[in-house]
Amino acid sequence: MELTEEQFQRYARHLILDEVGEEGQEKLLQSRVLVVGAGGLGSPMLLYLAAAGIGTIGVVDDDRVDITNLQRQIVHATRHIGELKVESARATLARVNDGIAIETHPVRLGPDNAEALIARYDVVADGSDNFATRYLLTDICFRLEKPLVAAALSPFEGQLSTFRPYLGAGHPCYRCLFRDPPPPNLVPRCEEAGILGAVAGVMGTLQAVEVLKEVLGLGDSLDGTLLIYDALHAGFHRIRIAKDPECPTCGGSTSC
Ligand SMILES: [Zn+2]
């Protein structure tokens, strides 16, 4: 593909980077990224991925914009209250960058539709807020060999990692880290626990960076480590994640 004159200008600050350049920008424009959840994590992620020129962005969310979302879900605005989040996000992203395609999926991701949906994308970013979706994405991204960039939030803390367990030894999955989902309602969601809105912004933005690195093949992946952001102490730390040979998703003989 050849960049247009408009694209040369729009992406000028990418193009002057040796690490991105014209070739990298073309990769971004040809890539397909699926963002699961247009909420606190999905909002900044979608904005930056659209601005960066990810050529096709899929958004999955079956929810509608509520006034309580607006404290952190910055892809939505007051006038969007009551609209489907995927439609509200599409409208905002089109204003940021009208040269990319937004594919909206106003469905709840479940075992019946996840595989067909994920198969159509190159990279998956999990911005969901529930364990059922997190484990479903873990299993299906492993099976389809799609990189999964996943983040999670608590009121003043965020976690982020990239999972590529299909690459074999040294590449754990989310289930290697947390074998089983916690009992229902043990870990409260943002709605119940509250969250400092900008913490979601930090984590969703970091997630966008890792998605762009994954598409560009740039720098060190978080694959094999968990990045933890502690907002109250203004610190980041990383812990290593070991691959569990007994992991029900990616351990042992997994080719069956
Ligand atoms: Zn695993």
Side-chain angles (χ1 to χ4, degrees):
M1 71 179 287
E2 286 272 301
L3 295 182
T4 64
E5 189 49 42
E6 198 263 346
Q7 288 172 327
F8 268 106
Q9 291 179 22
R10 178 181 286 273
Y11 305 117
R13 300 300 181 272
H14 276 165
L15 298 176
I16 56 174
L17 295 171
D18 289 340
E19 294 83 352
V20 182
E22 232 177 291
E23 197 186 324
Q25 190 61 52
E26 286 168 7
K27 267 191 210 168
L28 295 175
L29 286 164
Q30 285 167 349
S31 68
R32 300 176 52 84
V33 173
L34 182 67
V35 174
V36 180
L41 291 163
S43 287
M45 197 167 21
L46 287 163
L47 286 163
Y48 272 112
L49 295 179
I54 292 290
T56 305
I57 301 176
V59 196
V60 194
D61 203 311
D62 67 340
D63 207 2
R64 288 176 184 272
V65 180
D66 181 87
I67 191 168
T68 61
N69 301 148
L70 302 179
Q71 163 257 21
R72 64 199 178 284
Q73 300 184 13
I74 58 173
V75 81
H76 313 297
T78 308
R79 68 179 177 284
H80 294 134
I81 290 170
E83 286 179 26
L84 278 168
K85 284 187 177 177
V86 293
E87 289 306 328
S88 160
R90 191 220 300 262
T92 304
L93 300 181
R95 276 195 294 277
V96 173
N97 189 348
D98 59 1
I100 58 166
I102 310 293
E103 297 178 347
T104 55
H105 306 287
V107 296
R108 183 155 193 86
L109 205 69
D112 53 326
N113 59 15
E115 188 152 347
L117 200 55
I118 289 168
R120 296 165 52 194
Y121 294 89
D122 307 317
V123 179
V124 178
D126 181 8
S128 71
D129 62 354
N130 67 86
F131 286 97
T133 303
R134 207 165 290 163
Y135 282 89
L136 179 68
L137 289 173
T138 296
D139 293 345
I140 293 182
C141 288
F142 170 69
R143 205 180 311 149
L144 298 179
E145 303 194 353
K146 306 284 183 183
L148 173 63
V149 181
L153 298 169
S154 54
F156 298 100
E157 200 182 272
Q159 302 179 346
L160 177 67
S161 190
T162 296
F163 298 105
R164 302 183 296 192
Y166 49 85
L167 296 178
H171 300 276
C173 77
Y174 183 76
R175 234 185 250 279
C176 294
L177 181 62
F178 301 111
R179 170 73 71 98
D180 297 306
N185 303 322
L186 184 72
V187 181
R189 299 160 64 194
C190 290
E191 289 95 285
E192 299 119 34
I195 181 166
L196 192 68
V199 173
V202 171
M203 296 313 298
T205 303
L206 283 171
Q207 208 174 355
V209 173
E210 295 306 313
V211 168
L212 294 173
K213 283 167 59 188
E214 198 63 38
V215 172
L216 292 166
L218 212 62
D220 297 325
S221 168
L222 283 173
D223 185 357
T225 60
L226 184 71
L227 179 72
I228 298 168
Y229 170 53
D230 176 350
L232 291 181
H233 299 97
F236 284 94
H237 62 281
R238 279 171 74 157
I239 58 171
R240 194 175 292 277
I241 310 170
K243 193 170 178 89
D244 177 1
E246 308 285 301
C247 172
T249 298
C250 75
S253 97
T254 49
S255 53
C256 52

